[in-house]
Amino acid sequence: MNDSTENRSGRNYNTEELLREDLAHHMRPFTDYKELAEEGGGRVITHADGIYFWDSEGKRYLDGMAGLWCVNAGYGRKELAEVASAQMLELPFYNTFFKTTHPPAAELSKLLSDLTPANFNHAFFANSGSEANDTILRMVRQFWQLEGKPEKRVIISRHNAYHGSTTAALSLGGMDPMHKQGGIIPDIEHVAQPYWYGEGGDMDEDAFGLQAAKAIEDKILELGADRVGAFIGEPIQGAGGVIIPPKTYWPEVQRICKKYDVLLICDEVICGFGRTGNWFGFESMGIESADFITLAKGLSSGYLPISAVMVGDRVAKTFFDKGGEFYHGFTYSGHPAACAVAIRNIEIIRREGLVEKVRDETGPYLAKALATLNDHPLVGETRSMGLIGAIELVKNKATREQFTPPGKVGIKCRNHCTENGLVMRAVKDIMVMSPPLIITKDQIDDMIALARKSIDQTAKDIGMM
Ligand SMILES: *Cc1c(COP(=O)(O)O)cnc(C)c1O
């Protein structure tokens, strides 16, 4: 390691000193602190442009994860920095409590109402996907109270779902390691996920989709429909390993929710804003109507923190008709600069036709490029929709046998990717990707070539090649 390195941003960084200071004072999220300290503190990321970022040693990475599933418009968007700057000079902050609002919040709520289906006409703003899902949990319970059915307070979710890291969001999520650390709130139930490759056995994919949906109906019947207020799901589970449900799943889930008068919550934090080749994941999954939509990440392409709950007309009408204060909100709900950035980000996505580009061009191209890996002995399956994709690394291709304990091979592969200048994430032994929506076909070729090289190296490590 050099003491200091000149890099593209024109600034000198002293990597060792930065890491020393960081280790001494910064507790990073989702980190094993002991392990991090033993390994020396990881990398320092200094600047980014397009689909690439650089570390403090001057090494370039192809960002196959769009930051953390969020930098959909890509890095280096000067106009996003400029609108934030202009807004901060005009009105850097004012709250939206106490019967006040400001132009960016008013404008963004209107814009999001136009962008989402006809029955969505109201936005409630927060700062993160987690806070948005917390907000939904409170709205669901308040809605049923206003409707005179306070006992309809249970929310059904799936195992291996990710809905965030605040107490309500982690309880809604189905991540066992998070649940085991405590803090779970009651009246949230988890059912099977629609993970056909890993859990479908010999079943036909469509039949498995129906069976996974039936798990929701079984749970409703077990609890009693008079106790179940809502079902929450990501159209495609992202952090759970890019679980793309069989096409039979979502229409059936929707039918079940209608039948038992259970509100449907679509967590679009990853799938929203073009990721799957439509503006929203529910369009790709055959979901015709929902009651809540969670938006974050791609809403601002990660340039500033902002999230929104889109509240369907049925719920909004009850809140407006019945009245009574909803005691909920955040200091920064509808932050003016974050709203201004989100508005311009949506303008960029429209102007550059990024959603159509993913749908017609780069999404299908990624699927073909991924399919070239299917001949690899370590690759059990590749799957994608739009620009969200996964490569399943398995012990036995023929029988779909997975590695036990899971995760060791995935981490090896991820480390090779990093060494090779590619960022992919390992979810157990599933390599997942979600590159910026501006990625070109040539860059997809580069990404898949680096992935193949890393998978080859991993296969050699474990004596498979
Ligand atoms: C990231 C994520 C969240 C949580 O968002 P934060 O901004 O990290 O709080 C919620 N739901 C899904 C599907 C996510 O991927």
Side-chain angles (χ1 to χ4, degrees), residues 73-297:
Y75 298 100
R77 294 279 186 177
K78 207 164 167 225
E79 61 185 301
L80 294 183
E82 283 165 356
V83 293
S85 161
Q87 183 59 50
M88 284 182 193
L89 293 172
E90 192 171 317
L91 180 72
F93 174 76
Y94 199 76
N95 69 70
T96 49
F97 297 16
F98 315 129
K99 301 181 181 171
T100 58
T101 188
H102 46 63
E107 199 185 322
L108 181 59
S109 353
K110 167 75 167 72
L111 183 56
L112 291 175
S113 301
D114 292 345
L115 211 55
T116 47
N119 72 312
F120 286 97
N121 292 294
H122 293 89
F124 187 108
F125 294 114
N127 310 287
S128 66
S130 304
E131 290 175 1
N133 283 327
D134 276 44
T135 300
I136 291 175
L137 180 133
R138 299 202 54 201
M139 278 190 173
V140 165
R141 291 184 174 169
Q142 175 63 2
F143 168 78
W144 288 116
Q145 285 197 35
L146 291 172
E147 290 286 303
K149 297 180 179 172
E151 66 285 359
K152 240 170 133 63
R153 53 183 284 112
V154 176
I155 299 179
I156 298 178
S157 175
R158 284 94 51 91
H159 296 298
N160 198 37
Y162 188 76
H163 297 299
S165 194
T166 55
T167 301
L170 93 87
S171 304
L172 288 169
M175 296 293 178
D176 285 342
M178 293 175 80
H179 285 195
K180 283 188 183 130
Q181 291 183 342
I184 297 302
I185 59 173
D187 291 328
I188 295 170
E189 297 277 339
H190 297 84
V191 299
Q193 58 176 336
Y195 178 26
W196 177 68
Y197 183 80
E199 298 172 1
D202 294 332
M203 245 179 140
D204 167 74
E205 188 171 354
D206 286 351
F208 179 77
L210 293 175
Q211 176 185 284
K214 186 165 179 294
I216 301 164
E217 184 162 30
D218 291 346
K219 183 56 82 177
I220 294 171
L221 293 172
E222 176 197 321
L223 297 164
D226 55 343
R227 290 194 54 218
V228 181
F231 170 77
I232 184 169
E234 305 152 78
I236 293 172
Q237 284 156 260
V242 183
I243 312 296
I244 305 175
K247 62 180 187 305
T248 48
Y249 179 76
W250 273 111
E252 179 66 1
V253 171
Q254 187 176 306
R255 188 192 67 76
I256 291 166
C257 288
K258 279 218 176 79
K259 180 172 176 191
Y260 298 100
D261 201 17
V262 167
L263 300 175
L264 179 55
I265 307 161
C266 273
D267 184 338
E268 292 274 352
V269 172
I270 287 177
C271 295
F273 299 96
R275 176 59 56 200
T276 68
N278 283 299
W279 273 95
F280 301 102
F282 59 75
E283 300 169 76
S284 305
M285 287 290 137
I287 304 170
E288 277 156 16
S289 73
D291 296 288
F292 291 98
I293 306 172
T294 320
L295 301 174
K297 294 191 173 125

Side-chain angles (χ1 to χ4, degrees), residues 314-326:
R314 178 181 178 194
V315 173
K317 186 171 186 313
T318 295
F319 276 78
F320 278 92
D321 284 355
K322 306 251 165 154
E325 182 169 345
F326 182 45

